[in-house]
Amino acid sequence: MAKQRRNESEFRGFWNTPLNLGRIFPSELVPLDVSIYRGCGTGCFYCRDNLECRASRYKVNDADSTEILLNDIARAIRNEYSAVGYFLREKYPIHFSYATDPFMPEEKKYRASLRFLKWATEADHPLRFVTQCGILAEPEEQERYFPFFRHGRDSFYISIATLDEKLTAVIEPNSPSPSARLKIIERLTGKGVPVGVACAPYVPDWTPDKDAYCRALADAGARGVWLQYLQFTPRLRKMLPAAWEKYATGARRSEPFGEAFEEYREWQAAAAGHGLVFYAGPYADAWLGYLSPLGGLLKREDFGPDAKLFTYFRDFMQKVTEASFGKNGALTANMTFRRGKRVVVHWSDAEQYLREAGLDNPEFDTQDFWRTYTYWRRGTDRQEWLDTLGRRAPFYEILRYFWNHPHENSQLCWDNPLMQVLKDSEANAWVADVKGDIIAIFNPVERMKPQPSESCEHDYFIWNKDKFIFLGERRI
């Protein structure tokens, strides 16, 4: 018990900082996140914090909050073993922010976001804004904030759940109207700041006319659109007040992929009809056999010549996908499965790609990665993490740990539903190579079904410099 308490204390400070690795690293293209505010004042009925009535407890800001953040940034930059500091020094963009809206009504009181924007401008650091626009709809606030939105350094992700003005006033009471957000998009794109739009949360009843929605985005100058379905866990569903029930009737209760092919294809067609990029997301991309030309509706040029995006694992999965469509691949051009053709992948394949792609391998404090590792699941084995990696480890070894624990972590290549962990069902164990690394199959037909030990014979491709080489049939 004493040992467990010591382990917890080692990580306690990390949970209290507004500066973190992004919540779904390493699959996220933008690896850093700054969430200055604890809780969100937009009052959206579907928000988890709002339903659990925790926002007021988390909104703890005062005049010193941004100063604490800036001190954390300076400290991280000076620390050669800090992963956060590394990504800051390398000019990877910062998400601003995952957890809460940086332009929520409380910003008019605290101006925490404004102070952070001044730092980003002085430091010439690129930002990726995630927002419903909040106070930016007010003319005087636009004049205050727009000078800090920079062409060639910043990008915006703006959510618009519906074009229905009356419905928006009910489901997002403290956010601007759809027409106001479209005007903000028009002004941002007018000064060369790229904007991607999320129909988030997406409920078909809220957005019945996909063509009209995409036309409005295109007219405002948006780059593209993606969907995020509204979903409620059973626990959150019980918290939903009766008054909101009718607005959630179209919400899905489970993962939509596998049952929403046609809807995604309709969105893809509507977006293309108006010159927009449709970004389905890593799960839907794999199910549809479609790869968006702009992952996350982003490209490196958005953030300047010295800025970077963490595209390595998305790019690696693209190579795996392309291998499955090749001459000896698993799929024909029309998505017909060639029986017996699967792409088998080891960690060594991923690591070789990372080296070829030029990703550095510095030694990092492992605690920087703990929150991102445990984001989707609780009850992960912290002691194993510490025993395996220690307080510091090379970057590749940390990513290898992510790879080798699909039962605890659904990130990395496991974000792709066709990348299955090879499993000996009878022994209830993951199949590993001689180095103890988990083996995976890119298999477009089986789709997440457990793989028995008898099916360990496959056509094997391996990454070699700029392509996957077909090595013939191998037994693992």
Side-chain angles (χ1 to χ4, degrees):
M1 179 62 73
K3 190 173 185 179
Q4 177 68 19
R5 282 197 297 269
R6 286 198 301 273
N7 291 338
E8 291 176 357
S9 66
E10 290 175 0
F11 293 91
R12 187 173 295 126
F14 176 69
W15 284 87
N16 295 327
T17 176
L19 173 67
N20 289 302
L21 293 182
R23 63 180 180 177
I24 53 174
F25 179 89
S27 300
E28 178 58 57
L29 279 69
V30 179
L32 295 173
D33 175 58
V34 164
S35 297
I36 290 180
Y37 291 101
R38 298 288 189 93
C40 193
T42 55
C44 303
F45 91 91
Y46 48 78
C47 175
R48 176 177 302 182
D49 278 349
N50 187 43
L51 287 175
E52 294 181 344
C53 302
R54 300 186 307 183
S56 60
R57 175 153 51 101
Y58 283 166
K59 276 184 281 186
V60 285
N61 267 279
D62 54 34
D64 298 328
S65 62
T66 314
E67 196 65 36
I68 293 171
L69 167 64
L70 299 183
N71 288 337
D72 286 346
I73 290 175
R75 190 180 302 110
I77 290 175
R78 292 194 302 267
N79 184 354
E80 65 175 306
Y81 298 109
S82 167
V84 173
Y86 168 82
F87 288 120
L88 287 169
R89 292 190 298 271
E90 293 294 310
K91 294 291 187 182
Y92 282 84
I94 297 172
H95 253 135
F96 189 49
S97 65
Y98 278 126
T100 60
D101 197 311
F103 304 111
M104 68 175 77
E106 286 77 7
E107 170 64 8
K108 293 177 74 171
K109 176 181 180 181
Y110 297 112
R111 301 297 183 189
S113 294
L114 182 61
R115 294 183 64 193
F116 176 68
L117 292 182
K118 291 178 180 178
W119 169 85
T121 301
E122 292 173 1
D124 195 30
H125 201 98
L127 299 178
R128 167 67 159 172
F129 293 90
V130 182
T131 181
Q132 291 177 346
C133 296
I135 62 174
L136 296 182
E138 302 175 22
E140 63 274 18
E141 298 299 341
Q142 286 191 17
E143 298 311 309
R144 179 176 280 113
Y145 287 89
F146 264 73
F148 296 99
F149 304 149
R150 305 155 295 173
H151 165 69
R153 255 331 190 213
D154 298 330
S155 172
F156 268 73
Y157 161 103
I158 294 175
S159 62
I160 303 177
T162 176
L163 296 181
D164 188 323
E165 307 268 326
K166 293 182 178 179
L167 177 59
T168 298
V170 175
I171 63 175
E172 298 170 348
N174 296 327
S175 296
S177 67
S179 59
R181 288 182 233 185
L182 290 170
K183 290 179 181 178
I184 292 171
I185 293 172
E186 187 173 355
R187 182 169 180 183
L188 286 168
T189 57
K191 65 180 297 185
V193 177
V195 179
V197 176
C199 189
Y202 174 57
V203 176
D205 292 348
W206 296 359
T207 313
D209 191 335
K210 303 175 182 64
D211 186 75
Y213 185 94
C214 290
R215 186 189 313 118
L217 301 191
D219 289 346
R223 166 183 285 172
V225 61
W226 79 288
L227 307 182
Q228 182 177 348
Y229 278 86
L230 175 61
Q231 299 184 41
F232 290 108
T233 64
R235 184 171 65 87
L236 291 178
R237 187 77 190 198
K238 293 178 181 178
M239 298 178 182
L240 193 65
W244 303 111
E245 182 64 33
K246 66 178 180 179
Y247 298 107
T249 54
R252 295 186 181 274
R253 308 304 194 270
S254 60
E255 290 291 338
F257 309 116
E259 58 185 77
F261 287 132
E262 292 309 313
E263 196 159 58
Y264 270 92
R265 293 191 193 283
E266 290 170 5
W267 273 99
Q268 184 181 349
H274 293 283
L276 299 174
V277 172
F278 176 64
Y279 175 58
Y283 291 94
D285 272 354
W287 284 103
L288 293 171
Y290 164 79
L291 192 66
S292 166
L294 293 176
L297 302 176
L298 294 174
K299 53 185 178 181
R300 285 187 177 90
E301 300 81 66
D302 295 342
F303 303 104
D306 59 336
K308 302 177 181 180
L309 289 177
F310 198 85
T311 64
Y312 302 98
F313 285 105
R314 182 180 184 275
D315 293 344
F316 177 70
M317 283 308 306
Q318 181 176 0
K319 296 295 183 184
V320 174
T321 303
E322 289 171 353
S324 75
F325 282 90
K327 180 179 179 181
N328 296 301
L331 297 174
T332 64
N334 64 357
M335 295 291 287
T336 302
F337 177 62
R338 292 191 179 108
R339 187 170 181 80
K341 301 289 186 179
R342 298 182 175 94
V343 180
V344 179
V345 181
H346 301 242
W347 167 251
S348 59
D349 301 327
E351 182 174 318
Q352 184 170 349
Y353 168 73
L354 294 178
R355 295 187 187 280
E356 295 287 345
L359 180 66
D360 294 337
N361 188 26
E363 192 172 70
F364 287 138
D365 290 330
T366 58
Q367 70 173 17
D368 282 2
F369 297 87
W370 178 249
R371 183 180 181 185
T372 58
Y373 178 73
T374 62
Y375 182 81
W376 292 116
R377 287 178 185 254
R378 298 296 179 257
T380 48
D381 193 334
R382 184 179 293 177
Q383 191 59 53
E384 182 188 359
W385 170 278
L386 291 171
D387 289 344
T388 303
L389 295 174
R391 290 179 176 273
R392 289 177 184 159
F395 193 17
Y396 286 10
E397 285 304 300
I398 296 171
L399 296 179
R400 179 185 176 190
Y401 192 94
F402 278 73
W403 174 278
N404 277 330
H405 291 75
H407 52 297
E408 288 190 341
N409 181 275
S410 63
Q411 302 173 44
L412 217 125
C413 290
W414 315 130
D415 266 345
N416 188 307
L418 309 187
M419 182 65 85
Q420 304 161 34
V421 177
L422 192 59
K423 186 174 183 180
D424 184 337
S425 299
E426 295 179 0
N428 194 30
W430 314 114
V431 176
D433 60 19
V434 293
K435 293 184 178 180
D437 293 319
I438 297 294
I439 297 173
I441 304 173
F442 187 83
N443 182 351
V445 164
E446 296 299 323
R447 291 185 178 173
M448 300 298 286
K449 294 180 181 178
Q451 296 294 317
S453 56
E454 298 84 54
S455 67
C456 291
E457 191 169 324
H458 305 280
D459 292 333
Y460 182 40
F461 295 78
I462 187 168
W463 169 256
N464 183 17
K465 292 190 177 179
D466 61 348
K467 59 184 177 180
F468 276 92
I469 305 298
F470 177 62
L471 298 181
E473 196 168 66
R474 296 285 186 92
R475 179 172 291 278
I476 299 171

